[in-house]
Amino acid sequence: MRKMPVSLGLRPQAMNVRQVTGDVEGHFVRQTIKARAIFTDAAKLSILFAKDKKNPVVHRAFIGETVSRVYLPLYVYHGNLYDGVNHSKLGPSSLIDSFAATTVRVSPEWEPSFLSTICPGCGATMKGSRDSLVMTCTNCETLWQEREGIFHQLDFGVVESSTQAAVHLPFWHIEPEVRGCTLATLADFLELTNQPVVVRKAHRDKKMAFIVPAFKVNPNTFLNSAKNLTSVQLVFNGMTQKTVAGSYPVTLPHKEAVQALKVVLAGAAVSPKKVFAVLEKLDFRVTAQQLLYLPFQWVGHDVRQEQTGFSFSSASLRFGRSM
């Protein structure tokens, strides 16, 4: 299939894309390449595998990715195969002969499904934005996440703000059991990453937990937020379990945050060689998790975390909603 396009280019972004449902006519070629193989090929196009790259890739993770299957319409006319969008000739109709026997009509699993947003705990109506993975019930002060068609209650904590103008951003608070190195306490993390911090008894008494954004932002903001807030987590005291009106939606799944733990650890390292030496053999098993809502203040074009002073561009939040 030499004349078939290897990429759709900007067309899926520039043109209207319609969801495939039962009223869409046509035959659809089955996907034969697994998503993992597609990711591997896509990574080879990135700067990680540039020809002038000297340092080897120690670890790679796809975090917050969205995978969509986009079908290019084709049609046959007078023995030739044509692009259904720009009507350019791709070659003889024999190009698709090998796929003709494996095409399918619309699959029922492609159809959208609907789930009632009645709170399983009290029966009140839950609230959540269209891109949120977590629903909030303000009546019984609970959070719920859908899994396999059923809502499951989430453990969460809210660090209170000194002002009502704050916006609470969600973070995954993940307590792992780590194999491959000693990382049981916050002190272990600070020492392994060689942080410029005087390790105190409070650090040794604090069980190790990673604080990872539960919302999509650009890679630099994501990594800086995770490594900085993880390092200074002792300041987050006085948590409550009262839902906060106007809190930012959860848009990054917990599983994606877990995949980022190695990246956060490596990114936090002041002396990379020490961490890279053990990175490959590290294995993280989550023992506890919860959502942690931290208060941020709008300061000019930035949002600043109240307790730590850590800040990043508010534009990152706006662009993150479309990732």
Side-chain angles (χ1 to χ4, degrees):
M1 302 183 69
R2 295 179 180 178
K3 296 186 179 180
M4 291 290 286
V6 295
S7 171
L8 296 183
L10 296 176
R11 286 195 282 184
Q13 302 175 51
M15 303 180 65
N16 291 327
V17 180
R18 178 185 178 186
Q19 184 174 355
V20 178
T21 55
D23 59 341
V24 177
E25 297 182 356
H27 296 268
F28 298 86
V29 176
R30 294 179 183 273
Q31 179 177 334
T32 57
I33 302 176
K34 294 184 177 181
R36 183 180 296 275
I38 296 174
F39 280 137
T40 300
D41 290 340
K44 292 178 181 178
L45 301 177
S46 71
I47 192 173
L48 289 175
F49 293 91
K51 293 182 179 180
D52 57 348
K53 193 76 172 178
K54 297 180 180 179
N55 298 324
V57 177
V58 179
H59 176 69
R60 182 188 67 203
F62 295 97
I63 302 166
E65 75 278 3
T66 299
V67 182
S68 300
R69 185 187 299 128
V70 180
Y71 286 98
L72 171 67
L74 305 174
Y75 65 92
V76 175
Y77 181 72
H78 289 319
N80 291 311
L81 185 66
Y82 290 86
D83 185 318
V85 176
N86 58 22
H87 306 290
S88 61
K89 181 179 177 181
L90 301 177
S93 59
S94 58
L95 286 174
I96 59 169
D97 286 348
S98 60
F99 296 103
T102 62
T103 58
V104 296
R105 292 284 188 175
V106 176
S107 173
E109 63 184 22
W110 298 350
E111 297 279 355
S113 58
F114 299 92
L115 188 64
S116 172
T117 55
I118 299 299
C119 175
C122 69
T125 301
M126 296 188 291
K127 298 178 181 179
S129 58
R130 61 180 297 175
D131 58 345
S132 180
L133 302 175
V134 173
M135 303 296 292
T136 303
C137 178
T138 56
N139 185 59
C140 63
E141 303 285 355
T142 54
L143 299 182
W144 301 83
Q145 184 176 31
E146 181 271 338
R147 188 168 65 249
E148 297 181 354
I150 299 175
F151 279 114
H152 297 266
Q153 189 171 347
L154 282 176
D155 185 21
F156 73 99
V158 178
V159 176
E160 294 186 323
S161 171
S162 58
T163 173
Q164 294 183 347
V167 56
H168 280 77
L169 301 184
F171 292 80
W172 289 111
H173 182 277
I174 303 172
E175 295 182 3
E177 178 184 289
V178 184
R179 298 176 181 176
C181 76
T182 302
L183 199 60
T185 67
L186 180 57
D188 294 331
F189 174 84
L190 297 176
E191 291 171 345
L192 178 63
T193 58
N194 200 25
Q195 296 296 313
V197 176
V198 177
V199 177
R200 307 190 307 271
K201 183 178 183 300
H203 294 115
R204 300 198 182 281
D205 293 340
K206 175 66 175 176
K207 188 175 182 179
M208 181 56 200
F210 287 86
I211 298 179
V212 183
F215 51 93
K216 293 182 178 182
V217 284
N218 64 72
N220 286 335
T221 300
F222 180 89
L223 184 57
N224 287 333
S225 300
K227 68 182 185 182
N228 281 285
L229 297 178
T230 295
S231 299
V232 299
Q233 59 186 279
L234 282 182
V235 303
F236 301 133
N237 298 315
M239 286 190 290
T240 68
Q241 285 193 318
K242 294 183 179 180
T243 56
V244 181
S247 57
Y248 196 81
V250 176
T251 57
L252 186 80
H254 164 258
K255 290 183 178 180
E256 299 288 318
V258 173
Q259 291 181 33
L261 297 187
K262 278 190 178 183
V263 179
V264 174
L265 182 62
V270 178
S271 302
K273 289 184 179 180
K274 185 177 180 180
V275 175
F276 287 179
V278 299
L279 195 64
E280 187 175 356
K281 61 182 180 181
L282 290 184
D283 180 50
F284 292 87
R285 186 178 69 85
V286 177
T287 58
Q289 68 181 57
Q290 70 169 175
L291 271 177
L292 178 62
Y293 286 89
L294 301 180
F296 283 73
Q297 299 284 349
W298 299 98
V299 182
H301 296 289
D302 295 338
V303 286
R304 184 175 62 196
Q305 207 287 310
E306 283 189 25
Q307 286 75 18
T308 64
F310 171 76
S311 64
F312 60 88
S313 172
S314 59
S316 299
L317 296 176
R318 184 171 66 253
F319 292 129
R321 297 291 293 270
S322 60
M323 292 176 69

